[in-house]
């Protein structure tokens, strides 16, 4: 009599991977055949011993996947979920590694404790293929044992690895793959609904169920529909997400998911498999040989970025001018139609200028997002991430951080709000947090107008060079800031993680338009809500309380007495300047000059920067108002001329201001998004403080060294 077995190993694998052979080699004659309950699928069981430990071994039906497409798949899956074997031994045919790993990835996604039996290594070697088992083990984070089932090679090691893992009492740890932003967002949404519901799911994670629901797994959907309340909430969302994916990616969610799994596998195989002989490669592999080449890849990337710049500025020039013209026309119209007074001033300076300032840049942002959508939808962005991975890792980030940084304004013009949302593809929580915190350093679309005014005023001859330098500086800062964060605030190693390389696809126009619209809307939404509110508030703070009555009267007398029209206008401007200095905003601006003096900022700049805390778009319009000294008329060109002519300004001060604007506190919308995506207001507050302190120190350093060198 044998005592009751304590450890159960289940053999899973594709048909013909050699499961039965391995099973026989492990159990010898000690086996019997039964049935899985209720179905006519053979269930082979046997026993073996390893270092005195009795082991029960179950041979599962051969399957290619774990989605409920066939009876075998349902049986295998239900056994894994229902019986929970201590360890699953995944028998993999090394000679057909990539196809076999498809099941492996699904086992990992389910989260079962896994040992990989890398079988048929003899066949693989005959074909000139060498699989690096250690590398594979490292990438998959599971033991990998090379075996030859027919000769029994590796069987002892396999059994020992299984027993050792089982003795550790492993937890189920589902692998999370990114399936691209559309599917990832869908999963997050379904997961939230499933988590709200409290069925007895045991070890099955809500994320896995969400994934299966999107794969239209008949079993999972059937279960959901049986729970009518949950079904009523979940099914419409599943349908909506499916429709969204079909229209953006022109494919079913299940094929998109499969593509990303294969992308994950391809990337893994690139690292773990070497060939003695050249083998035929498919189209994506051939293209990748060039585009991810260490020398040619970066050159191609630079060429792509250059083309993106050219395209975005070329395409948006007309619409931007047209929109800005429209808002000037609107402002002039309102001014002409209404009598001068607080209401007119509110409408023109507060509402039209504030909102128009943002909407005026929408075309630029939109074309930038369109270019980014092409890079993402075609699969090229994944290659950019792959190329950048080594560099970014050195700074504690991850290849995929590059997408978030580019969307956030990495090639100038973007928006940190969708940039932070794009960090969802990052699985390492610390790398993700570090990315979220450095995305605001990028030169988003709201900072561009500030640069444009200052560069136009002081660096007319080298506009492109200065903007390029600012872009490089923002990347350098972001990387160093990330390195510092990973060292001081978020220490810890990085898990080896496989970069997914999904196959190239031709983007669909509909998909591009939807993706462009989703992100542009995030940006434009600010105009109608946040920026409208802040503009009106800033307008009020800059208009009230005005001058004391006696001073006002004295000024008016002087204006009356002026000799000619020109003198009158000059006096009026001076009066408005006094009024602004006396306004609430002016008082705040003056109160903090003590702190901002060493940075070269005067009180007017301070007023603009305080407004920019809410949204950086406000900086230019506020500066405009402050420097036109109250005159309602204002536009970029005249602000440039005024700054250039002002004795208070010089190129060094312009540089100091641009750098401060680049780094200091992210706008309110970004702060809110940071809190939402990190799940904590503390990180949002940290981001505000970290960036502002860093901005202060950097600007101080640059301005004071500039002065020391006699510039400015
Ligand atoms: P199953 O469908 O996964 O149960 O696969 P089998 O165990 O029935 O094996 C399929 C075929 O592959 C059989 O002819 C085995 O003899 C053969 N086979 C299994 N393992 C190996 C191996 O490691 N090397 C070689 N050369 N053949 C193997
Ligand atoms: Mg078999």
């Amino acid at each position: 009599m044998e005592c009751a077995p304590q450890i159960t190993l289940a053999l899973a694998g594709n048909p013909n991977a050699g499961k039965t052979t391995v099973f026989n080699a492990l159990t010898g004659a000690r086996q019997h055949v039964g049935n899985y309950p209720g179905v006519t699928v053979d269930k082979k069981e046997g026993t073996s011993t390893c270092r005195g430990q009795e082991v029960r071994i179950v041979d599962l039906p051969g399957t290619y996947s774990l989605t409920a497409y066939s009876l075998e798949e349902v049986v295998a899956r239900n056994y894994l979920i229902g019986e929970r074997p201590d360890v699953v031994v995944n028998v993999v045919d090394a000679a057909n590694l990539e196809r076999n790993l498809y099941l492996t990835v699904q086992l990992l996604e389910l989260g079962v404790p896994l040992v990989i039996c890398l079988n048929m290594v003899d066949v693989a070697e005959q074909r000139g293929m060498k699989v690096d088992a250690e590398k594979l083990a490292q990438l998959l984070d599971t033991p990998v044992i090379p075996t030859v089932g027919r000769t029994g090679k590796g069987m002892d090691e396999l059994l020992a690895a299984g027993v050792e893992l089982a003795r550790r009492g492993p937890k189920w740890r589902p692998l999370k793959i990114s399936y691209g932003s559309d599917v990832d967002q869908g999963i997050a949404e379904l997961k939230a609904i499933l988590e709200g519901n409290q069925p007895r799911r045991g070890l099955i994670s809500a994320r896995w169920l969400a994934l299966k629901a999107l794969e239209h797994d008949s079993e999972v959907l059937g279960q959901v529909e049986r729970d009518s309340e949950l079904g009523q909430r979940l099914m419409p969302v599943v349908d909506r997400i499916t429709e969204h994916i079909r229209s953006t990616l022109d494919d079913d969610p299940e094929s998109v998911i499969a593509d990303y799994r294969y992308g994950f596998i391809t990337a893994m195989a690139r690292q773990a498999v070497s060939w003695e002989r050249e083998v035929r490669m498919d189209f994506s592999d051939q293209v990748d040989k060039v585009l991810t080449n260490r020398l040619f890849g970066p050159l191609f990337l630079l060429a792509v970025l250059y083309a993106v710049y050219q395209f975005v500025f070329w395409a948006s020039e007309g619409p931007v001018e047209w929109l800005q013209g429209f808002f000037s026309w609107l402002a002039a119209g309102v001014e002409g139609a209404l009598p001068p007074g607080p209401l007119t001033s509110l409408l023109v300076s507060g509402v039209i200028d504030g909102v128009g300032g943002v909407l005026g840049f929408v075309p630029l942002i939109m074309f930038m997002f369109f270019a980014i959508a092409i890079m993402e939808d075609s699969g090229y962005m994944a290659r950019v991430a792959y190329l950048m991975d080594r560099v970014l890792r050195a700074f504690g980030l991850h290849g995929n951080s590059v997408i978030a940084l580019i969307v956030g304004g990495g090639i100038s013009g973007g928006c940190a709000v969708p940039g932070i949302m794009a960090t969802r593809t990052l699985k390492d929580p610390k790398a993700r947090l570090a990315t979220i915190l450095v995305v605001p350093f990028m030169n988003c679309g709201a900072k561009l107008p500030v640069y444009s005014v200052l560069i136009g005023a002081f660096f007319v001859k080298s506009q492109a060079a200065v903007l390029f330098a600012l872009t490089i500086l923002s990347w350098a800062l972001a990387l160093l800031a990330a390195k510092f964060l990973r060292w001081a605030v978020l220490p810890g190693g990085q898990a080896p993680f496989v970069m997914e390389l999904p196959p190239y696809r031709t983007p669909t126009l509909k998909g591009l338009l939807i993706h462009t619209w989703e992100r542009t809307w995030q940006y434009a939404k600010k105009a109608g809500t946040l920026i409208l509110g802040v503009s009106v508030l800033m307008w009020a703070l800059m208009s009230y309380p005005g001058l004391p009555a006696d001073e006002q009267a004295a000024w008016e007398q002087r204006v009356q007495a002026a000799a000619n029209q020109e003198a009158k206008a000059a006096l009026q401007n001076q009066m408005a300047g006094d009024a602004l200095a006396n306004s609430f905003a002016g008082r705040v601006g003056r109160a903090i000059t003590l702190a901002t003096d060493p940075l070269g900022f005067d009180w007017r700049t301070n007023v603009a920067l305080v407004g920019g805390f809410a949204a950086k778009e406000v900086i230019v319009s506020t500066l405009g108002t402050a420097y036109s000294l109250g005159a309602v008329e204002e536009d970029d060109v005249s602000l440039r001329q005024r700054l250039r002519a002002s004795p208070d300004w010089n190129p060094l001060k312009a540089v100091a201001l641009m750098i401060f604007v680049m780094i200091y506190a992210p706008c309110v919308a970004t702060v809110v998004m940071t809190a939402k995506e990190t799940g904590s207001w503390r990180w949002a507050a940290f981001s505000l403080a970290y960036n502002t302190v860093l901005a202060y120190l950097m600007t101080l350093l640059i301005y004071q060294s500039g002065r020391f060198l006699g510039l400015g």
Side-chain angles (χ1 to χ4, degrees):
M1 274 295 286
E2 287 169 350
C3 46
Q6 290 180 326
I7 290 181
T8 305
L9 303 186
L11 298 183
N14 289 12
N16 286 317
K19 261 179 319 82
T20 305
T21 311
V22 170
F23 175 77
N24 289 340
L26 289 175
T27 58
R30 295 180 291 169
Q31 50 171 274
H32 67 272
V33 181
N35 253 335
Y36 285 96
V39 289
T40 53
V41 176
D42 279 355
K43 181 184 190 184
K44 274 193 170 175
E45 280 191 48
T47 51
S48 186
T49 43
C50 174
R51 298 189 210 130
Q53 170 73 58
E54 186 109 0
V55 185
R56 188 164 75 105
I57 301 175
V58 179
D59 188 18
L60 295 177
T63 60
Y64 293 105
S65 90
L66 282 186
T67 309
Y69 293 130
S70 70
L71 185 57
E72 280 76 18
E73 284 160 343
V74 174
V75 168
R77 190 169 90 186
N78 287 347
Y79 179 84
L80 294 177
I81 295 173
E83 306 284 320
R84 281 185 229 163
D86 295 296
V87 167
V88 175
V89 174
N90 179 200
V91 181
V92 166
D93 174 0
N96 290 296
L97 185 67
E98 297 196 22
R99 200 188 65 208
N100 275 251
L101 284 179
Y102 192 73
L103 176 66
T104 311
V105 167
Q106 296 202 36
L107 288 166
L108 289 168
E109 285 181 303
L110 184 59
V112 296
L114 201 64
V115 170
I116 289 173
C117 165
L118 188 65
N119 197 32
M120 310 234 192
V121 287
D122 56 333
V123 183
E125 252 160 52
Q126 274 165 27
R127 293 194 192 164
M129 179 187 176
K130 207 172 149 11
V131 182
D132 182 345
E134 259 172 51
K135 186 82 201 174
L136 197 59
Q138 191 197 347
L139 293 173
L140 293 172
D141 199 15
T142 56
V144 176
I145 315 293
T147 61
V148 179
R150 262 226 276 250
T151 62
K153 184 175 163 241
M155 289 303 137
D156 294 342
E157 291 88 337
L158 183 65
L159 199 57
V163 169
E164 195 198 310
L165 181 60
R167 277 190 179 152
R168 267 187 268 146
K171 297 246 178 336
W172 281 39
R173 286 180 306 149
L175 167 75
K176 291 184 195 138
I177 295 182
S178 168
Y179 305 98
S181 57
D182 290 293
V183 176
D184 283 352
Q185 274 171 37
I187 291 177
E189 199 176 329
L190 294 176
K191 185 174 156 228
I193 297 176
L194 285 161
E195 269 168 355
N197 173 281
Q198 293 281 337
R200 283 154 280 122
R201 277 195 309 274
L203 293 169
I204 301 308
S205 71
R207 184 188 148 89
W208 188 82
L209 282 177
L211 176 63
K212 288 294 150 192
L214 271 189
E215 282 186 90
H216 294 97
D217 184 290
S218 52
E219 277 250 312
V220 168
L221 288 186
Q223 269 170 23
V224 166
E225 271 168 348
R226 249 167 277 147
D227 178 347
S228 60
E229 199 200 321
L230 177 62
Q232 270 168 18
R233 281 174 44 214
L234 201 72
M235 292 316 293
V237 184
V238 172
D239 291 341
R240 174 165 56 70
I241 296 167
T242 304
E243 215 22 71
H244 181 255
I245 290 168
R246 277 199 190 125
S247 51
T248 54
L249 306 175
D250 199 23
D251 218 338
D252 292 324
E254 45 268 49
S255 358
V256 176
I257 290 169
D259 266 2
Y260 274 89
R261 284 196 187 119
Y262 277 116
F264 178 84
I265 291 167
T266 308
M268 210 153 42
R270 280 167 70 106
Q271 297 187 53
V273 179
S274 51
W275 291 87
E276 274 165 23
R277 297 183 290 276
E278 266 315 300
V279 282
R280 270 205 14 249
M281 298 186 295
D282 68 8
F283 172 75
S284 280
D285 288 337
Q286 278 171 342
V287 174
D288 274 342
K289 244 195 132 167
V290 182
L291 295 192
T292 61
N293 176 284
R294 275 205 200 153
L295 179 70
F296 188 77
L299 288 178
F300 186 80
L301 174 58
L302 283 181
V304 167
L305 293 184
Y306 184 76
V308 166
Y309 261 127
Q310 292 289 327
F311 163 72
V312 169
F313 286 106
W314 166 79
S316 60
E317 201 180 355
V320 165
E321 237 166 63
W322 185 83
L323 266 180
Q324 285 176 347
F326 169 76
F327 284 110
S328 310
W329 170 83
L330 191 66
V334 170
E335 246 190 311
L338 295 175
L343 178 67
T344 312
S345 169
L346 168 67
L347 282 179
V348 174
S349 299
V351 177
I352 298 178
D353 281 350
V355 173
V358 181
L359 290 185
F361 278 94
V362 163
L364 186 89
I365 300 290
M366 194 182 72
F367 283 110
M368 182 54 85
F369 282 138
F370 185 73
I372 290 171
I374 295 179
M375 289 170 75
E376 277 193 291
D377 290 8
S378 63
Y380 182 62
M381 196 65 106
R383 275 70 190 180
V384 176
Y386 182 88
L387 273 177
M388 298 291 288
D389 193 47
R390 284 164 66 97
V391 180
L392 292 177
R393 263 168 199 277
F395 292 94
L397 299 176
H398 181 273
N400 279 335
S401 307
V402 86
I403 300 171
L405 291 169
I406 287 180
V407 172
I411 37 185
S412 292
C415 177
V417 172
I420 287 174
M421 285 177 67
T423 60
R424 288 187 187 167
T425 55
L426 286 153
K427 291 297 167 291
D428 182 339
K430 284 178 180 170
R432 172 162 189 242
L433 199 48
T435 309
I436 289 177
L437 293 174
V438 301
V439 162
F441 290 130
M442 297 289 108
N443 293 320
C444 71
K447 296 178 195 171
L448 288 187
V450 183
Y451 299 161
S452 153
V453 165
L454 293 170
I455 294 175
F458 296 102
F459 303 97
V460 196
K461 290 209 189 82
S462 41
Q463 300 204 21
V466 175
L467 189 59
F468 183 70
L470 287 171
T471 308
I472 299 291
L473 183 68
S474 67
W475 276 89
L477 267 172
L479 292 184
L480 291 175
K483 182 88 191 157
F484 175 76
L485 285 171
R486 287 307 307 265
W487 169 71
V489 192
L490 301 163
Q494 280 171 307
F497 192 78
V498 183
M499 299 284 312
E500 288 128 61
L501 288 178
Y504 289 98
R505 297 166 163 265
T506 314
T508 64
L509 186 63
K510 202 171 165 196
L512 292 177
L513 293 180
I514 293 175
H515 286 149
T516 304
W517 171 247
E518 284 172 346
R519 284 183 175 147
T520 307
W521 177 237
Q522 293 268 354
Y523 172 83
K525 219 167 37 180
K526 283 200 298 185
T529 53
L530 189 69
I531 292 179
L532 178 61
V534 175
S535 297
V536 169
L537 182 70
M538 283 307 290
W539 169 84
L541 291 177
M542 289 168 76
S543 305
Y544 294 95
L547 289 171
D550 50 335
E551 275 183 47
Q552 176 83 20
W555 271 109
E556 267 159 20
Q557 260 179 10
R558 287 175 62 192
V559 172
Q560 286 292 321
N564 55 29
Q565 211 54 33
E566 238 168 76
K568 220 175 226 164
L571 281 172
Q572 252 163 356
N573 265 357
Q574 281 179 33
M575 174 176 91
D578 266 14
L580 178 65
N582 192 50
S583 71
F584 295 119
R587 289 180 206 179
V588 172
R590 282 185 300 166
I592 56 176
T593 43
L594 204 62
T596 62
D597 234 11
L599 309 183
F601 301 160
D602 69 355
W603 66 268
R604 292 188 191 83
T605 309
N606 292 348
V607 171
L609 289 174
V610 171
F613 253 112
K616 301 209 166 144
E617 288 88 346
V618 177
I619 296 174
V620 165
S621 61
T622 309
L623 267 185
T625 313
Y627 273 90
S628 71
L629 300 181
V632 180
E633 156 273 331
E634 106 196 22
D635 67 73
D636 274 8
V637 181
S638 48
L639 176 59
R640 273 181 198 151
Q641 282 164 353
R642 246 175 266 130
L643 292 180
R644 201 181 304 148
S646 165
D648 297 337
W649 278 86
N650 57 49
L652 179 63
K653 285 195 180 178
V655 169
L657 181 57
M658 287 193 285
I659 288 176
F660 191 83
V661 169
M662 178 194 296
I663 313 171
Y664 91 122
C667 69
V668 171
T670 305
V671 173
V672 171
M673 188 47 90
T674 304
K676 220 163 118 185
E677 291 292 310
T678 58
S680 144
W681 282 99
R682 272 209 226 143
W683 283 116
F686 175 83
S687 172
L688 267 173
Y690 181 62
N691 291 19
T692 307
V693 169
L694 189 66
Y696 190 90
L697 295 177
M698 277 295 290
T699 311
L700 185 68
L701 181 76
I702 288 176
Y703 185 67
Q704 292 302 334
S705 345
R707 284 187 38 128
F708 182 75
L709 295 173
L711 309 164

